[in-house]
Amino acid sequence: MAAPLTDLEKRKQISIRGIVGVENVAELKKATPRDYYFALAHTVRDHLVGRWIRTQQFYYETDPKRVYYLSLEFYMGRTLQNTMINLGLQNACDEAIYQLGLDMEDLEEMEEDAGLGNGGLGRLAACFLDSMATLGLAAYGYGIRYEYGIFNQKIKEGWQVEEADDWLRHGNPWEKARPEYMLPVHFYGRVEESKEGARWVDTQVVLAMPYDTPIPGYMNNTVNTMRLWSARAPNDFNLKDFNVGDYIQAVLDRNLAENISRVLYPNDNFFEGKALRLKQEYFVVAATLQDIIRRFKISKKGSTGPVSFDSFPEKVAIQLNDTHPAMAIPELMRVFVDVEKLDWDTAWAITKRTFAYTNHTVLPEALERWPVGLLETLLPRHLQIIYRINQGHLDGIRALFPGDLERIRRMSLIEEDGGKRVNMAHLCIVGSHAVNGVAEIHSNIIKNDVFREFSELEPDKFQNKTNGITPRRWLLLCNPGLAELIAEAIGEEYVKDLSQLQKLNELVNDDAFIRDVSNVKQDNKVKFSQYLEKEYKVNINLSSMFDVHVKRIHEYKRQLLNCLHIITMYNRIKKNPKAPFVPRTVIIGGKAAPGYHMAKKIIKLITAVGHVVNKDPVVGSKLKVIYLENYRVSLAEKVIPATDLSEQISTAGTEASGTGNMKFMLNGALTIGTMDGANVEMAEEVGEENMFIFGMRVEDVAEMDVQGYDAVPYYNSIPELKQAVDQIQGGFFSPKQPELFKDVTNMLFNHDRFKVFADYEGYIKCQEKVSQLYQNPKEWTQMAIKNIAASGKFSSDRTITDYATEVWGVEPTDLKIPPPNEPRKALEETARVLTEK
């Protein structure tokens, strides 16, 4: 009797027979939804592979300048639907699945999110990969294949509880292990000086195993690569030295090496100076640079004669996504000087022309400052190199500002106060030819404030690159109804040129179009309500305004301000139950870093307030509060299209850009927000009168910092604020534990860096305007259309085009690589045409 089929064999059979045509129905009846998901994934993947190989052949033939995007985070979400859309396979797959009597959405729900990021920074990297492929750039994403991604959040009795995200437990059909490109990475050891130069010896070796994921461009046959490294212990790990006697223990200790790629650090906008995190940062950088140099050496143009690195910056651009991969700068210097035997000045000139650095935050607690002692132990040669880079940097400053010791102290790569530390942002600025912020207001703060003295030294180095989002995932995939409506109105070209959405302005007064946009929004609300009712057992009022605040939980993002508004609305209903009230469903979601106690207390407060509001019969269907559990990419794809009002209410000058704001705008929500991050440019594009802008501006915040912020006068002079705060403080929302939120109110009164009370009154008044407009559905929808029409600037295609031309020195192309079914001659001909261009 034949052995029973393994899961993988079963899935492959379904893949071959089930999608193409069913033969053995009895066999298929045993298949689970997960089997069908894998079958479909393998089928779709087969369509990718030929294009993937073709793209890499094409790059070998044309030898373009390559762009390397280095990031410790890639928040990819799910891959199946995005791949079907970008390859133009969605209709064919939908039809095949329907023929099998299956539901495509059920299969899509089987896929785990690839949650290899915390929030904005990691999701930006994912959007950028999509745009780089769509724009035909020879680009590679490099990062870490974390075994455990961002934790799964459970809300238990109102508190966040973390669970491990074992996202690989069923296997990942989208990755391909490449053991043939495995590389050694060194740690610890010591530096030996000799006539030939420095040698880093007696190191511990960890192997970096690459896993490749294909990144398809939109309908252009380009498939780029995201290469993520996994840590492996070498076979002689711990067996070649002292403890050979304990063979079992030596094998068990392999885990120590392999822990490097075990888990994503779950901090957003916060630096935790742990040795394991520094190991992760160096691990990705060391493996990646070896790979980049290997590819440079074997490239078509470089493969004749002896290797010269003079052309390296003409062939390689490396973008550092924040300071997390900053060790790439001393590592490239180490390789050039110690291994390739370049002289220091030549190596430094090449290095600076190769790197560019993106800054993502101005919050001081987020800036990476590694203790010198830790670097000395873990990466002794790199510390020497950093000292030498600093020496040259400070010599230059001394020459320009003789005797200005304070300036030298401020601008040094090494901070002396409170233990010696390496300021990684300073290292990135000094080691790069371009530095950018991620929205105009943020880039100005960097230039004129945080790194002012560096920008005075090299003003041309500092740029702005306003963030963007990919319209493929954040419109076509998540909101097909709206995407189709837009295509019927202005054609399909907007998908690759989002600026064409401006044409929708001609339809702002078209009654039929207004009705259609409104209907799409209502359909999305119905669908999301069904999800909420299933998951949370709540009744949703479909005529209520869906007021949504989803992002990481952080004091600067001011979920507390929203919470105060909820309490204020509740109190108004209770005070006058008969008064007209515009009903709202307030949806708040997001994860708090596990060690961030205030953020976790804020979640508990919101859920406690929701508990009181939701079960009060006087309130009824007028106001509901829902805490959205385990907010992640796949949940964002559900909630964003259903949103009426988007909350973007950070204290001015704290949110570098934000990208959720852009996703809501593109999907026809209106924004209530401060003049912070990209909100400023959104208001520029659509007109301030088409957003709900409130609160202090950056200048007001700065002035208040000079005078000193005092919360008490606001509390004493605004009765509704006082009532809400007293309720929190007095245990109204936690009757069994009246003291529960004392530390929250204590913070709001005594050390609120983000000035919640100062913006309360403006926020409440602005929310009244929101409610007023919501009562006029036609005007509301017209404003939504204006927002959609103005969102073109916020495509990541535009952002990447700006990076390509202004930082990387490469040109986007709309050239279509010949598909795999065309002969290789077609590929060579396309390559020839491009090369001649």
Side-chain angles (χ1 to χ4, degrees):
M1 199 174 141
L5 295 177
T6 66
D7 277 358
L8 193 62
E9 287 164 341
K10 193 163 61 168
R11 287 164 191 167
K12 283 213 169 123
Q13 281 209 5
I14 301 165
S15 175
I16 295 155
R17 286 194 313 229
I19 307 295
V20 181
V22 182
E23 288 166 25
N24 185 343
V25 177
E27 191 67 38
L28 285 179
K29 278 186 177 156
K30 297 178 196 163
T32 65
R34 176 163 288 109
D35 293 326
Y36 280 110
Y37 159 71
F38 272 92
L40 178 57
H42 286 129
T43 306
V44 172
R45 189 185 64 183
D46 291 343
H47 285 263
L48 267 175
V49 170
R51 290 171 170 87
W52 198 6
I53 294 166
R54 268 282 159 105
T55 302
Q56 303 314 313
Q57 288 172 340
F58 183 69
Y59 292 156
Y60 184 78
E61 296 293 337
T62 53
D63 193 29
K65 182 171 184 177
R66 281 151 162 105
V67 173
Y68 296 101
Y69 197 82
L70 265 64
S71 181
L72 269 282
E73 303 186 18
F74 287 93
Y75 203 170
M76 303 296 284
R78 292 172 177 163
T79 296
L80 174 60
Q81 198 185 352
N82 186 247
T83 305
M84 293 190 296
I85 288 170
N86 280 13
L87 293 186
L89 292 173
Q90 199 172 24
N91 291 344
C93 290
D94 280 346
E95 180 59 28
I97 293 302
Y98 176 74
Q99 292 293 337
L100 288 171
L102 297 166
D103 185 304
M104 179 62 96
E105 272 188 43
D106 289 347
L107 299 196
E108 286 164 353
E109 286 295 319
M110 297 310 303
E111 183 175 357
E112 299 276 355
D113 279 47
L116 308 185
N118 276 284
L121 175 149
R123 183 54 234 175
L124 185 80
C127 283
F128 279 4
L129 293 183
D130 181 88
S131 286
M132 290 188 286
T134 296
L135 294 169
L137 302 182
Y140 303 75
Y142 273 97
I144 294 177
R145 180 182 179 265
Y146 300 106
E147 205 174 306
Y148 297 90
I150 186 65
F151 61 87
N152 284 316
Q153 178 196 55
K154 290 275 188 282
I155 302 294
K156 294 191 174 158
E157 293 174 7
W159 295 96
Q160 168 177 299
V161 177
E162 300 87 24
E163 288 181 358
D165 168 41
D166 189 8
W167 71 289
L168 293 167
R169 69 183 170 279
H170 300 294
N172 174 8
W174 305 107
E175 69 181 7
K176 174 83 182 80
R178 306 299 301 274
E180 67 272 30
Y181 293 114
M182 187 139 59
L183 293 166
V185 175
H186 298 260
F187 293 100
Y188 302 106
R190 57 192 175 81
V191 182
E192 237 175 35
E193 303 290 349
S194 69
K195 289 196 292 290
E196 285 78 50
R199 283 178 65 235
W200 184 19
V201 297
D202 296 340
T203 56
Q204 287 184 22
V205 175
V206 176
L207 299 176
M209 163 88 85
Y211 286 78
D212 288 356
T213 300
I215 306 291
Y218 180 72
M219 301 290 281
N220 65 350
N221 294 330
T222 294
V223 181
N224 284 341
T225 302
M226 174 177 68
R227 178 162 284 181
L228 302 181
W229 301 101
S230 182
R232 294 279 182 277
N235 286 330
D236 60 2
F237 186 78
N238 268 13
L239 285 168
K240 54 190 182 300
D241 33 43
F242 322 106
N243 55 351
V244 183
D246 198 346
Y247 162 74
I248 296 291
Q249 193 55 47
V251 173
L252 298 183
D253 285 347
R254 294 168 62 83
N255 278 323
L256 300 174
E258 296 174 355
N259 277 339
I260 291 174
S261 57
R262 194 79 67 204
V263 59
L264 168 74
Y265 272 84
N267 301 316
D268 189 71
N269 277 297
F270 184 78
F271 171 60
E272 188 177 2
K274 293 281 197 292
L276 180 61
R277 171 66 173 191
L278 181 58
K279 280 186 179 171
Q280 289 181 340
E281 293 183 353
Y282 178 66
F283 173 75
V284 64
V285 147
T288 299
L289 284 174
Q290 289 179 75
D291 217 32
I292 290 172
I293 289 166
R294 173 191 62 76
R295 199 175 285 116
F296 171 76
K297 285 179 174 178
I298 60 149
S299 73
K300 207 169 180 185
K301 307 283 194 293
S303 54
T304 48
V307 171
S308 161
F309 285 97
D310 296 347
S311 65
F312 194 76
E314 276 77 61
K315 286 293 174 192
V316 173
I318 303 177
Q319 191 69 34
L320 304 174
N321 194 26
D322 215 322
T323 57
H324 311 149
M327 289 306 295
I329 293 167
E331 171 65 5
L332 188 59
M333 285 300 289
R334 185 190 69 80
V335 173
F336 280 161
V337 173
D338 296 0
V339 181
E340 303 292 347
K341 303 299 180 193
L342 273 60
D343 70 90
W344 179 274
D345 292 341
T346 302
W348 183 236
I350 295 169
T351 296
K352 279 187 74 157
R353 287 173 58 207
T354 301
F355 285 110
Y357 157 57
T358 301
N359 173 277
H360 280 273
T361 183
V362 296
L363 295 182
E365 65 267 34
L367 296 177
E368 293 196 294
R369 300 175 162 96
W370 287 107
V372 163
L374 180 58
L375 279 163
E376 200 162 25
T377 307
L378 202 64
L379 299 166
R381 178 61 181 137
H382 296 77
L383 183 62
Q384 290 183 344
I385 290 167
I386 289 166
Y387 274 132
R388 177 143 181 206
I389 291 169
N390 196 35
Q391 189 61 52
H393 164 58
L394 295 182
D395 286 348
I397 293 167
R398 271 190 208 96
L400 287 167
F401 304 97
D404 192 344
L405 295 178
E406 265 307 293
R407 182 184 295 261
I408 283 165
R409 184 189 61 75
R410 287 191 304 268
M411 294 185 74
S412 174
L413 307 192
I414 315 292
E415 296 178 355
E416 304 278 353
D417 47 301
K420 279 193 173 185
R421 293 172 174 269
V422 180
N423 183 314
M424 302 309 271
H426 290 183
L427 174 61
C428 286
I429 294 167
V430 170
S432 298
H433 71 277
V435 175
N436 72 279
V438 290
E440 262 166 26
I441 183 177
H442 170 234
S443 298
N444 289 334
I445 289 170
I446 280 173
K447 267 190 291 225
N448 306 325
D449 185 11
V450 187
F451 304 129
R452 190 185 82 244
E453 289 170 314
F454 289 91
S455 75
E456 286 168 355
L457 215 57
E458 304 179 275
D460 296 343
K461 184 181 275 194
F462 287 76
Q463 305 186 15
N464 172 245
K465 295 285 169 281
T466 299
N467 283 163
I469 58 171
T470 170
R472 272 72 63 183
R473 184 175 296 267
W474 297 113
L475 183 56
L476 269 71
L477 183 154
C478 72
N479 202 342
L482 182 59
E484 219 166 297
L485 187 57
I486 293 169
E488 284 165 16
I490 64 170
E492 292 179 6
E493 288 298 298
Y494 76 91
V495 178
K496 290 185 86 158
D497 175 15
L498 209 61
S499 67
Q500 292 194 26
L501 290 179
Q502 287 168 354
K503 295 176 187 171
L504 294 176
N505 281 317
E506 293 163 28
L507 298 169
V508 165
N509 297 310
D510 181 316
D511 284 336
F513 188 70
I514 293 167
R515 185 196 61 233
D516 290 344
V517 170
S518 179
N519 286 341
V520 166
K521 180 62 74 179
Q522 198 58 30
D523 290 346
N524 291 334
K525 288 174 72 172
V526 168
K527 191 172 179 191
F528 189 61
S529 295
Q530 288 165 350
Y531 172 83
L532 290 178
E533 287 173 8
K534 183 167 131 283
E535 296 292 319
Y536 297 97
K537 314 289 179 248
V538 284
N539 287 320
I540 304 293
N541 176 358
L542 283 170
S543 65
S544 68
M545 181 200 309
F546 284 19
D547 170 352
V548 179
H549 197 181
V550 285
K551 51 188 75 243
R552 285 297 290 255
I553 308 299
H554 201 299
E555 287 159 271
Y556 88 83
K557 294 177 187 282
R558 296 202 296 190
Q559 283 90 358
L560 276 172
L561 184 56
N562 191 346
C563 193
L564 288 171
H565 176 239
I566 295 169
I567 296 170
T568 302
M569 286 192 290
Y570 172 74
N571 288 333
R572 287 181 181 183
I573 293 168
K574 293 291 280 184
K575 186 178 176 186
N576 193 350
K578 296 269 193 297
F581 183 86
V582 178
R584 292 199 189 207
T585 301
V586 184
I587 299 167
I588 303 179
K591 294 175 184 177
Y596 188 175
H597 299 293
M598 183 58 69
K600 291 180 123 174
K601 196 54 87 68
I602 290 167
I603 292 174
K604 176 61 178 171
L605 174 61
I606 295 163
T607 56
V609 170
H611 185 69
V612 169
V613 170
N614 295 346
K615 70 177 188 22
D616 192 318
V618 176
V619 175
S621 65
K622 289 178 182 168
L623 183 61
K624 283 277 180 278
V625 181
I626 292 169
Y627 198 92
L628 210 50
E629 187 176 84
N630 202 31
Y631 182 63
R632 58 199 186 281
V633 175
S634 59
L635 193 45
E637 291 163 6
K638 292 179 173 72
V639 65
I640 290 170
T643 298
D644 293 307
L645 183 69
S646 158
E647 302 263 357
Q648 308 296 335
I649 59 178
S650 53
T651 312
T654 62
E655 188 72 88
S657 165
T659 45
N661 46 5
M662 303 168 186
K663 292 160 195 169
F664 285 107
M665 184 188 199
L666 180 59
N667 282 277
L670 300 186
T671 303
I672 184 166
T674 50
M675 278 299 204
D676 198 21
N679 296 357
V680 177
E681 289 160 79
M682 285 163 55
E684 236 165 67
E685 294 296 301
V686 76
E688 219 175 301
E689 71 281 5
N690 293 304
M691 291 173 70
F692 298 99
I693 300 291
F694 73 94
M696 297 178 288
R697 308 303 202 247
V698 168
E699 304 74 40
D700 304 320
V701 175
E703 197 179 319
M704 193 173 279
D705 283 330
V706 171
Q707 292 169 0
Y709 166 66
D710 183 2
V712 176
Y714 297 100
Y715 169 80
N716 285 329
S717 64
I718 308 168
E720 286 188 307
L721 173 61
K722 182 177 191 301
Q723 184 187 2
V725 173
D726 288 350
Q727 285 169 314
I728 296 168
Q729 198 162 220
F732 181 84
F733 299 107
S734 54
K736 289 179 183 162
Q737 294 172 270
E739 308 279 285
L740 186 59
F741 300 117
K742 272 286 194 320
D743 44 359
V744 177
T745 49
N746 178 49
M747 178 274 290
L748 286 170
F749 278 117
N750 300 311
H751 38 92
D752 178 9
R753 295 162 57 203
F754 304 107
K755 307 175 178 63
V756 170
F757 290 2
D759 273 344
Y760 170 84
E761 197 167 23
Y763 181 54
I764 299 296
K765 285 184 173 148
C766 196
Q767 286 282 19
E768 288 165 6
K769 285 188 197 158
V770 173
S771 288
Q772 201 181 334
L773 186 69
Y774 193 73
Q775 290 174 284
N776 185 334
K778 182 178 176 181
E779 275 184 48
W780 180 281
T781 305
Q782 285 177 301
M783 197 180 279
I785 293 166
K786 288 177 191 170
N787 272 266
I788 297 165
S791 62
K793 173 180 178 177
F794 304 107
S795 168
S796 48
D797 297 346
R798 189 269 317 151
T799 311
I800 290 299
T801 300
D802 290 350
Y803 275 104
T805 55
E806 295 163 25
V807 179
W808 303 330
V810 293
E811 280 297 325
T813 172
D814 51 12
L815 187 110
K816 209 169 174 179
I817 295 175
N821 56 356
E822 287 185 25
R824 196 184 154 99
K825 265 210 163 66
L827 184 77
E828 286 161 4
E829 178 58 21
T830 311
R832 188 185 60 74
V833 169
L834 190 73
T835 313
E836 282 171 7
K837 262 191 191 173

